[in-house]
Amino acid sequence: ADGFILGRFGAENQETHKIFDIPVSADYLSLEFDFLEIDKWESCNEASVVVSGVITESISMGCFSATDDDDEYINEVNGIQLRRIKKGNADYIGFREEYMDQAHVVTVSIPAAYYSSLNPPTITIGFEFNMTDSIDEMSAGIDNLHLTAYGLCTSRRTMVVKSSATDSLLQGQG
C-alpha cells in the first residue's frame, strides 16, 4: 500500500461504487481487497459488498468485534461467494488511540450470470456501510482492491483500483 485508503466510511460517508467493463470470455470474476475495521467496531451487517449487473445483490461481510471470535466469515448469496479472513492481530494503525484497528482480507467470487448477458458485459462493484456512529467513532476503509476476470482469455485480466484518496476511480460519494 502507498499510505492511502479508499474511505473513510461511516455515518457521514456510507457508500461508493464503480462500473467495470468485463471481457466477453470471462467465466467468473474474483474481487479481492483489504477491509479495514477502524476504531470502535462491535456490530453486525453494517458493511456490505454490492454487486450489480443483470441483478443486484448485497452481500454482508458479517459481524465484527474486539474479541478473537471473528477470525473467518463465509457468506453466499445467489451464487456470489464472500470469504473474509482476519489479517493478523488487531493493532493501532493511526486512528484513535483508545481502540485497536483490524484488517481483513476479503475475496468475492462472482459468477458470469451477473454480467454475461449484458452487451457489453459490465459489473458494478460497490461498498455500503450502514453506520450510525460518526467517522470519528467507527469507520471503515478499503485497500489493495483487485478485480480479476478468469476464463477462456489468452491471459487473465486484472483491473487494479488504486486505493488513493486522490483517485476518482470509485464514484458515488455523497
Side-chain angles (χ1 to χ4, degrees):
D2 59 11
F4 296 100
I5 64 169
L6 179 62
R8 291 171 63 188
F9 296 99
E12 301 88 344
N13 186 24
Q14 294 195 346
E15 64 183 53
T16 191
H17 68 274
K18 179 174 174 46
I19 300 171
F20 294 92
D21 294 323
I22 305 302
V24 174
S25 59
D27 292 331
Y28 73 97
L29 305 174
S30 178
L31 174 68
E32 298 176 25
F33 60 92
D34 291 339
F35 173 73
L36 305 177
E37 171 187 346
I38 302 169
D39 293 334
K40 187 178 117 184
W41 276 77
E42 293 289 336
S43 60
C44 290
N45 302 317
E46 291 185 342
S48 299
V49 176
V50 179
V51 176
S52 184
V54 176
I55 61 172
T56 299
E57 295 293 351
S58 179
I59 304 97
S60 171
M61 285 194 265
C63 297
F64 299 88
S65 72
T67 64
D68 289 333
D69 61 356
D70 66 346
D71 287 347
E72 183 176 19
Y73 174 79
I74 297 173
N75 190 4
E76 183 172 347
V77 177
N78 292 325
I80 298 174
Q81 299 173 348
L82 179 143
R83 182 176 186 200
R84 173 179 52 84
I85 300 173
K86 189 188 311 187
K87 191 176 183 178
N89 294 323
D91 196 6
Y92 173 73
I93 60 173
F95 299 96
R96 293 183 60 193
E97 291 183 19
E98 59 266 35
Y99 298 108
M100 301 294 263
D101 306 308
Q102 180 66 58
H104 305 266
V105 176
V106 180
T107 304
V108 181
S109 179
I110 305 164
Y114 283 87
Y115 55 83
S116 62
S117 65
L118 298 174
N119 189 12
T122 59
I123 197 84
T124 300
I125 303 293
F127 300 95
E128 290 181 350
F129 302 92
N130 299 312
M131 301 176 194
T132 55
D133 290 341
S134 75
I135 286 175
D136 291 335
E137 293 291 319
M138 173 183 172
S139 63
I142 304 294
D143 200 6
N144 303 317
L145 190 146
H146 299 267
L147 179 64
T148 306
Y150 292 92
L152 296 176
C153 312
T154 56
S155 63
R156 77 179 186 164
R157 179 176 175 192
T158 301
M159 295 157 272
V160 177
V161 177
K162 292 183 181 178
S163 303
S164 172
T166 58
D167 283 339
S168 60
L169 292 174
L170 290 178
Q171 303 297 319
Q173 319 234 359

